[in-house]
Amino acid sequence: MTDIVSPGVTTTVEVPKSSDTTLAAFIWKNAEDLWGDFKHTDFGKIILPFTLLRRLECVLEPTRDVVRDAHAKFKDKGLDIDLILRQTARLPFYNTSQFSLATLGATRTKSNLDAYIAGFSDNARIIFEQFKFTETVAALARAEILFKICQNFSNTDLHPDVVPDRVMSNIYEHLIRRFGAEVNEAAEDFMTPRDVVHLATTLLLDPDDDLFRNNPGLIRTLYDPTCGTGGFLTDAMNHVDGFRAQDKVPPILIPYGQELEPETHAVALANMLLRRLETEPARDLSAHIAGPKSTLSKDDFAGKRFHYCLSNPPFGKKWEKDQAHVLREAKEQGFSGRFGAGTPRVSDGSMLFIQHLVDKLERPEQGGGRAAIILSGSPLFTGNAGQGETEIRRWLLEKDYIDAIVALPTDIFFRTGIGTYIWILSNKKPKERKGYVQLVDATAIHSPMRKSEGNKRRFINDEQIQQIARLYGDFQSGENVRVVNYRDFGYRRIKIQRPLRLVAKISIEGIEAFQASKAFAKLDEHEQTGWMSLVREHLGETHPYAWFDTLTIKAKKAGLSKIGRPLAAALEAALGVRAPNAPEVLDADGNCVPDKEVEDFEIVPLDQEIDEYMAAEVLPHAPDAWVDVNYTDDRDGQVGKVGYEINFNRYFYKYTPPRDLHEIDAELKAVEKEIAALLDEVAE
């Protein structure tokens, strides 16, 4: 039981122990005391750090007295007091203050709370610095409600025995999501739904289950470059904890992460700070959670590689703030840096994060690494051959880094209903997977939410997660799976030319167009008069293309000397008219001049000969067409630019026959009757 204090009323409320969303709502009720003194958009900045503070306090409670005694005993001995106190607390953090939220007092609450925060070890105190907690405390004190808020939280039991770590992590994210909704910010920038997190983690780690099972105490590294509140890191660490056996130490994942937003970075720090290793309880697992800074422009782990990587970068987010650094790194470092394969358009940085993760995979000679990254559909197909996105896909596929792509159901994220995909990347693919990409269609594998949360109307339950994991693990083509040779995604974009066929048609409109051209305007008055006289002589006539040369010769004889290429081009553009049956226009070497207006491009499958494609698909419709052999690929020098596109619909499209016409006709007639009846009612 606990007391909720509201203006003029004290109510005893039982804190639920099982429902994280209910407990989050309970904690949020403190916002009732903030109304009137604070904007609702500031509530989250107050509620969240107090929730974290209370959690830290509950975790430290069993050893707080012995830690305080040890601090008094050793603080002036010249010893490593930080190490001593962490070992005493059997935690990676501690607090040496005499205060707790319950003992701050009503008269000097602010100064006592400041002293309480100052008593935390550096790695815990930084959490409150991220929240600018000192400013928050000062604002609460000025509003004369600081003591009340402290009392509210002191009566909320957040001990791990009451609220397990996983539930506590859900509470943080629920509060952040509610906070994000209050300020109208996109919740997907903060977190990934738990079911999606668990699916991605399962797909990433399941292939190594035997490794974890047979190697107690195995140490591996785990990295999330957009770690948010640390959901991926927590779930992956829980996964390997499941291999705990009697009298055996479980495998260990050492977490690394980086986060851009200060508040979510603070929660990630707290999550990892509260995490304990059985073999080394004083080890600080928050030590490698970097931020708040952008991974793309300020990589805190440059040169570092990891066994596993997990990420859900923001969908469709611009990277213009990182642009200068990214372009400089791509130019100066090439493939020795992160972005050698290319850079996408600035409106979406998803494919920068893919390259970043590949760069972070442990080297193959050291056992290699695997990664799972959640993306929207755009990295599958955006960009034409030769452009940044396609070149990145080309590099990923030709280097054989893409192991599998899983299409997820729509409506499973909080603030977007778009289709999303989990990409599994690897630089240590087993022999049977080399050269292939596994496509898994999981769009129909989902369950309905009992209560929608924003756009999240569906979720993937544990049984369905295992079903998807089995589809991935079996590596067998079937109704929901295709195993595709990577070259099947490739093509050459060839340029098709057709001959220019022109006649000279001298019309009033054509003469006026010639007169309005820039080349004509540069002539002096004498030249202009002479040209108009020459052209008007042929008004209403139509001549073969060769007439333009005849006119030029005639102009020279008339003393018109300024006959450069710009003027000839202006004359041709104004008076030239395309005629399908006219002879081909030839250049000085006797070659066909291509008609730029009918220039076209064709997509030729990578494993099909261009001549074969032309004979089957182009020449039957345009016998005079030819391939522009000067339009070549920048990398292999061959005709046509190479591109890659991963089109799920191509592999999983299911034909649905149209409904019977009689059935449709019957429905239309029924609707017509309903409309007629309604009109009769209106007329009456």
Side-chain angles (χ1 to χ4, degrees), residues 191 467 482 554 670:
M191 67 201 70
Q467 178 186 352
R482 302 288 188 273
K554 192 173 181 180

Side-chain angles (χ1 to χ4, degrees), residues 66-67 141 200 242 288 298 382 488 565 615 665 671:
V66 293
V67 167
H288 303 300
K298 298 176 182 177
T382 51
D488 197 43
R565 178 58 194 160
D665 187 53
V671 172

Side-chain angles (χ1 to χ4, degrees), residues 94-150:
Y94 53 84
N95 189 297
T96 60
S97 168
Q98 61 179 318
F99 297 110
S100 68
L101 283 171
T103 63
L104 294 173
T107 56
R108 301 188 59 194
T109 310
K110 178 184 178 301
S111 59
N112 291 344
L113 181 55
D114 288 342
Y116 182 25
I117 299 299
F120 276 107
S121 52
D122 291 345
N123 54 1
R125 194 165 57 250
I126 192 174
I127 295 170
F128 299 98
E129 292 174 2
Q130 295 291 319
F131 280 109
K132 300 180 180 178
F133 193 57
T134 302
E135 297 176 17
T136 297
V137 169
L140 289 168
R142 287 193 298 271
E144 298 183 351
I145 57 173
L146 177 60
F147 177 68
K148 184 182 293 184
I149 295 296
C150 291

Side-chain angles (χ1 to χ4, degrees), residues 458-530:
R458 298 167 171 170
F459 76 102
I460 308 172
N461 64 35
D462 289 344
E463 183 178 336
Q464 290 163 339
I465 288 173
Q466 292 305 315
Q467 178 186 352
I468 296 170
R470 283 193 298 273
L471 290 173
Y472 166 62
D474 290 345
F475 195 60
Q476 295 292 325
S477 288
E479 182 180 0
N480 297 97
V481 177
R482 302 288 188 273
V483 176
V484 183
N485 186 300
Y486 82 89
R487 287 182 62 84
D488 197 43
F489 302 123
Y491 62 87
R492 284 191 181 272
R493 186 173 186 255
I494 59 173
K495 184 185 290 187
I496 304 298
Q497 303 284 16
R498 297 185 66 184
L500 180 64
R501 299 177 185 274
L502 284 183
V503 294
K505 187 173 183 179
I506 300 83
S507 64
I508 294 294
E509 294 81 7
I511 293 173
E512 290 176 349
F514 176 54
Q515 199 171 6
S517 67
K518 291 182 179 179
F520 184 85
K522 291 181 179 180
L523 299 175
D524 58 33
E525 185 176 350
H526 169 71
E527 295 276 340
Q528 289 182 349
T529 302

Side-chain angles (χ1 to χ4, degrees), residues 21 174 177 181 193 410-417 447-459:
T21 55
H174 180 84
R177 191 162 68 250
T410 56
D411 301 322
I412 59 169
F413 279 82
F414 297 117
R415 293 288 291 257
T416 180
S447 300
M449 296 273 290
R450 274 183 267 180
K451 182 180 179 182
S452 297
E453 296 184 54
N455 284 78
K456 187 170 176 62
R457 300 178 179 88
R458 298 167 171 170
F459 76 102

Side-chain angles (χ1 to χ4, degrees), residues 155-169:
N155 290 320
T156 304
D157 190 354
L158 296 182
H159 192 280
D161 292 342
V162 177
V163 185
D165 286 344
R166 183 175 292 220
V167 174
M168 197 68 226
S169 183

